[in-house]
């Protein structure tokens, strides 16, 4: 059993002997994300992130035949230790350590594929399992498989930024891509054209919808896996990054409306769907019928009927919305506005007493209103149906463990038109893996459609004019909210410049 007080390992006191390394192959150390350090009689000292992880401790006992004495260490220290002390002894190239069952045991209901099938599994199966486990442990949203001339590079996207994770011999590339294709229900014999697929997996007690994309490249097929949690349990507006004033507007002026349209705008990956689910989580779903049509269904929501778009059989957003209107809905969520027919049906639904939530791909709130008109929607119908346009961007949070006051460079202050103030940055520590950032929050703009904005939409005013009207009404923009979050120490001005780009007229 773990001791009450485990030693803490840092790079300064990290010592590993060869006898410990011989007990645990590199493949197993990487898969379990642990580092064997010393043999003390019948005990093996092992550095691990959670010394109280009983399942991991039991597996270490089984593999090594030793009692385990855990020591606490940050994941970055463990990763660097594995690279440093195992050296060139690459278990992947020799195939050792790959026959143990993985930690993922979910069966995909669509393809019937198990992610871990026991000791007879090929090396590629164990490798994909390990990467899925590592991605969840690292809070990654995407896994990139990138083939090169001699090595296959694996990169993880954490908090919106890609980081190198591992590289493997190209000898493994074909079998790894075949495994990904089988899991995602793709054609393993097709290598010339792009393919898309998906599968479900249960990892660390959570169910994930994993979307796969494979495209041909110069050195072979490139694959990307996107990991999406399938539950909206505990999703609350106050956890999404809204300021106090924005929360008041959301609760009093938006969520309280019995009908109308709420548009979330922003580029792909800016958190629009998450915000809409946050709104749905705040609404009364017991006394009202909630229906959604999405591509994909990113969260599972209780007391809601959710429809997955399937374009190959003719079930697109317009067809799904047409069917939903015959389901006696009170609240409708349309995953994305893509065509004129969907716009018209959504607007008509809002005007006839339904509350409609949807997303539009554009840079900010003002551009969202102008985009609908440009796509063919009647301006007077847009202004009559729309309640609000929300725009958002995701920015990285300053690591709370190493946050310190910072004086930004003058050119950054000039770019954001800031004269002074107290700001913060992360120095870099084990908690944030040296990046200075841990997690993400969102910057928001909320443009309510009142008489002034509504009249401007009806007059077909440009996005620039709508933006100027919003500022004249005292509606802060995305960068205004971002700078305020930087003053509060939630993010940095560098992040605002990187992620919150909008047109400024």
């Amino acid at each position: 059993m773990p001791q009450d007080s485990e030693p803490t390992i840092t790079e300064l006191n990290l010592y590993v002997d060869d006898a410990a390394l011989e007990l645990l192959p590199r493949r197993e150390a990487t898969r379990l994300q642990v580092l064997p350090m010393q043999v003390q009689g019948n005990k093996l000292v092992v550095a691990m992130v959670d010394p109280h992880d009983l399942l991991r401790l039991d597996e270490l006992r089984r593999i090594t035949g030793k009692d385990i004495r855990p020591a606490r260490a940050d994941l970055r220290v463990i990763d660097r230790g594995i690279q440093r002390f195992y050296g060139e002894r690459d278990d992947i190239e020799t195939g050792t350590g790959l026959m143990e069952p993985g930690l993922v045991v979910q069966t995909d209901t669509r393809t019937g594929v198990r992610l871990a099938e026991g000791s007879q599994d090929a090396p590629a199966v164990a490798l994909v399992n390990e990467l899925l486990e590592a991605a969840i442990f690292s809070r990654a949203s995407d896994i990139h498989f990138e083939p090169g001339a001699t090595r296959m590079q694996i990169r993880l996207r954490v908090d919106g930024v890609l980081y190198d994770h591992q590289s493997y011999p190209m000898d493994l590339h074909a079998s790894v891509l075949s495994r990904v294709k089988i899991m995602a229900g793709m054609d393993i014999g097709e290598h010339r054209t792009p393919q898309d697929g998906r599968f479900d997996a249960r990892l660390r007690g959570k169910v994930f919808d994993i979307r796969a994309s494979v495209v041909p490249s110069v050195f072979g097929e490139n694959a990307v896996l996107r990991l999406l949690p399938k539950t909206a349990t505990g999703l609350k507006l106050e956890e999404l990054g809204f300021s106090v004033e924005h929360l008041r507007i959301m609760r009093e002026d938006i969520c309280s409306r019995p009908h109308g349209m709420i548009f979330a705008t922003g580029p792909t990956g800016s958190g629009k769907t998450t915000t809409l689910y946050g709104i749905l989580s705040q609404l009364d779903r017991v006394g009202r019928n909630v229906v959604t049509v999405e591509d994909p269904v990113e969260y599972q929501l209780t007391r809601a009927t959710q429809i997955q778009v399937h374009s190959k059989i003719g079930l697109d957003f317009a067809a799904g919305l047409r069917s939903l209107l015959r389901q006696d809905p009170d609240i409708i969520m349309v995953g994305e506005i893509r065509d004129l027919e969907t716009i018209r049906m959504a607007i008509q639904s809002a005007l006839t007493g339904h509350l409609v939530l949807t997303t539009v791909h554009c840079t900010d709130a003002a551009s969202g209103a102008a985009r609908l008109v440009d796509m063919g929607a009647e301006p007077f119908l847009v202004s009559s149906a729309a309640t609000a346009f929300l725009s958002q961007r995701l920015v990285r949070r300053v690591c709370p463990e190493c946050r310190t006051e910072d004086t930004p460079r003058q050119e950054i202050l000039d770019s954001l038109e800031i004269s002074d103030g107290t700001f913060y940055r992360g120095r870099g520590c084990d908690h944030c893996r040296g990046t200075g950032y841990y997690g993400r929050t969102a910057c928001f703009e909320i443009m309510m459609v009142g008489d002034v904005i509504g009249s401007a939409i009806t007059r077909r005013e440009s996005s620039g004019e709508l933006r100027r009207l919003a500022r004249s009404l005292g509606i802060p923009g995305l960068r205004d909210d971002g700078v305020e979050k930087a003053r509060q120490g939630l993010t940095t001005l560098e992040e605002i410049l990187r992620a919150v780009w909008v047109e400024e007229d």
Side-chain angles (χ1 to χ4, degrees):
M1 294 296 291
Q3 298 178 354
D4 294 333
S5 179
E6 304 85 6
T8 299
I9 304 301
T10 68
E11 290 182 297
L12 296 178
N13 63 0
L14 184 61
Y15 173 78
V16 174
D17 61 40
D18 290 339
L21 296 176
E22 291 173 0
L23 289 173
L24 189 69
R26 177 174 183 165
R27 165 56 57 189
E28 294 303 312
T30 303
R31 178 173 70 85
L32 296 173
Q33 295 179 318
V34 299
L35 179 65
M37 297 178 62
Q38 300 174 42
V39 178
Q40 299 176 347
N42 196 41
K43 293 183 178 180
L44 175 64
V45 180
V46 177
M48 54 196 304
V49 174
D50 182 6
H52 300 280
D53 188 335
L54 298 181
L55 292 177
R56 204 162 298 223
L57 290 171
D58 286 342
E59 187 160 6
L60 286 169
R61 290 191 193 96
R62 178 180 61 80
I63 295 172
T64 65
K66 297 283 188 179
D67 290 335
I68 305 301
R69 182 187 175 194
R72 190 182 302 276
D74 185 83
L75 180 59
R76 186 180 64 153
V77 174
I78 293 172
D79 286 344
R80 289 184 175 179
I82 291 173
Q83 295 290 336
R84 173 185 172 188
F85 292 104
Y86 277 95
E88 298 301 323
R89 293 184 298 177
D90 196 334
D91 293 320
I92 298 166
E93 295 191 51
T94 62
T96 62
L98 291 176
M99 298 304 183
E100 293 296 330
L103 301 178
V104 185
V105 295
Q106 178 73 10
T107 300
D108 177 30
T109 56
R110 289 180 290 275
T111 64
V113 174
R114 283 180 61 83
L115 303 189
E117 299 172 345
S119 60
Q120 75 277 16
D121 288 348
V125 176
L127 174 57
V128 174
N129 291 352
E130 172 203 309
L131 291 173
L132 288 169
E133 178 78 4
I136 298 301
F137 188 84
S138 302
R139 304 177 294 106
S141 60
D142 301 84
I143 307 173
H144 289 243
F145 300 78
E146 301 174 346
T150 60
R151 307 282 291 182
M152 175 177 63
Q153 180 67 49
I154 306 298
R155 295 200 290 171
L156 302 181
R157 186 178 295 278
V158 181
D159 296 334
V161 178
L162 280 171
Y163 297 96
D164 288 342
H165 176 65
Q166 291 279 11
S167 68
Y168 302 104
M170 277 297 290
D171 292 345
L172 280 175
H173 176 260
S175 57
V176 167
L177 264 290
S178 293
R179 179 59 181 169
V180 169
K181 288 181 179 180
I182 290 171
M183 293 164 68
M186 300 180 191
D187 181 359
I188 63 173
E190 178 57 66
H191 305 285
R192 299 167 298 175
T193 61
Q195 296 189 68
D196 295 302
R198 63 194 313 153
F199 59 94
D200 294 338
R202 184 180 298 277
L203 297 163
R204 294 183 172 270
K206 298 180 181 179
V207 178
F208 288 82
D209 176 35
I210 301 180
R211 288 186 281 171
S213 173
V214 174
V215 297
S217 67
V218 173
F219 294 107
E221 290 178 291
N222 192 100
V224 176
L225 300 182
R226 170 156 290 186
L227 287 68
L228 299 167
K230 297 192 68 171
T231 176
T233 303
L235 197 62
K236 300 178 181 179
L237 289 177
E238 54 266 26
E239 297 174 353
L240 300 181
F242 287 105
S243 65
V244 174
E245 178 60 18
H246 281 161
L247 274 176
R248 183 196 66 77
I249 294 173
M250 292 293 294
R251 288 173 173 152
E252 297 179 9
D253 299 331
I254 294 180
C255 293
S256 62
R257 299 287 183 96
H259 56 79
M261 289 192 75
I262 302 168
F263 293 90
T265 71
T268 300
S270 59
K272 301 184 297 297
T273 301
T274 301
T275 296
L276 293 187
Y277 269 100
I279 294 173
L280 288 176
S281 297
Q282 303 299 305
L283 299 176
D284 171 27
R285 302 195 305 278
V286 176
R288 291 189 282 183
N289 183 24
V290 178
V291 293
T292 76
V293 54
E294 307 168 66
D295 184 24
V297 176
E298 295 191 6
Y299 299 98
Q300 292 178 344
L301 192 66
T302 58
R303 292 192 178 90
T305 300
Q306 297 172 276
I307 295 178
Q308 168 70 52
V309 166
H310 198 330
S311 58
K312 291 183 179 179
I313 62 173
L315 181 56
D316 55 15
F317 281 108
L321 181 55
R322 192 180 303 112
S323 299
L324 290 181
L325 291 174
R326 294 192 286 269
Q327 292 286 310
D328 184 33
D330 298 295
I331 302 170
I332 302 170
M333 189 179 93
V334 182
E336 183 183 344
I337 292 292
R338 293 181 179 174
D339 54 68
L340 182 57
E341 183 183 2
T342 306
I343 294 173
R344 287 174 171 169
M345 293 176 64
I347 289 176
Q348 191 61 35
S349 300
L351 292 175
T352 54
H354 302 90
L355 179 61
V356 181
L357 288 70
T358 189
T359 70
V360 181
H361 285 278
C362 51
T363 57
D364 63 353
S367 299
R371 175 66 58 83
L372 296 177
V373 176
D374 291 341
M375 292 177 69
E378 292 294 338
F380 72 93
L381 292 179
V382 174
S383 63
S384 299
T387 299
F389 288 88
L390 285 68
S391 184
Q392 64 186 85
R393 297 289 192 281
L394 293 177
V395 295
R396 291 182 291 175
R397 282 180 173 269
V398 173
C399 175
E401 299 296 324
C402 61
R403 191 180 78 165
T404 184
E405 288 192 10
D406 179 42
T407 302
R409 300 192 308 274
Q410 188 60 45
E411 56 266 31
I412 294 177
L413 297 175
D414 293 342
S415 298
L416 294 169
E417 299 179 357
I418 302 170
S419 58
D420 55 19
T422 301
F423 299 95
Y424 301 85
R425 66 175 178 86
R427 295 187 305 271
C429 65
D430 289 343
H431 183 66
C432 62
R433 306 182 73 174
T435 65
Y437 297 98
Y438 189 90
R440 289 194 288 180
T441 188
C443 300
F444 291 96
E445 175 190 5
I446 302 178
M447 186 177 77
M448 300 297 297
V449 181
D451 293 339
V452 176
I453 298 294
S455 297
I457 294 174
T458 302
R459 296 194 305 269
R460 296 177 178 265
E461 297 286 3
S462 67
S463 59
E465 181 59 31
L466 290 173
R467 196 174 298 114
R468 283 189 288 271
L469 279 175
R471 300 299 170 266
S472 69
L473 294 172
I475 299 174
L478 280 168
R479 281 197 170 180
D480 298 323
D481 189 45
V483 170
E484 182 58 33
K485 284 182 167 62
R487 293 185 189 277
Q488 296 171 10
L490 297 177
T491 188
T492 64
L493 294 181
E494 289 85 353
E495 267 296 284
I496 303 304
L497 285 175
R498 181 190 68 84
V500 188
W501 184 91
V502 294
E503 292 281 359
E504 295 295 341
D505 296 280

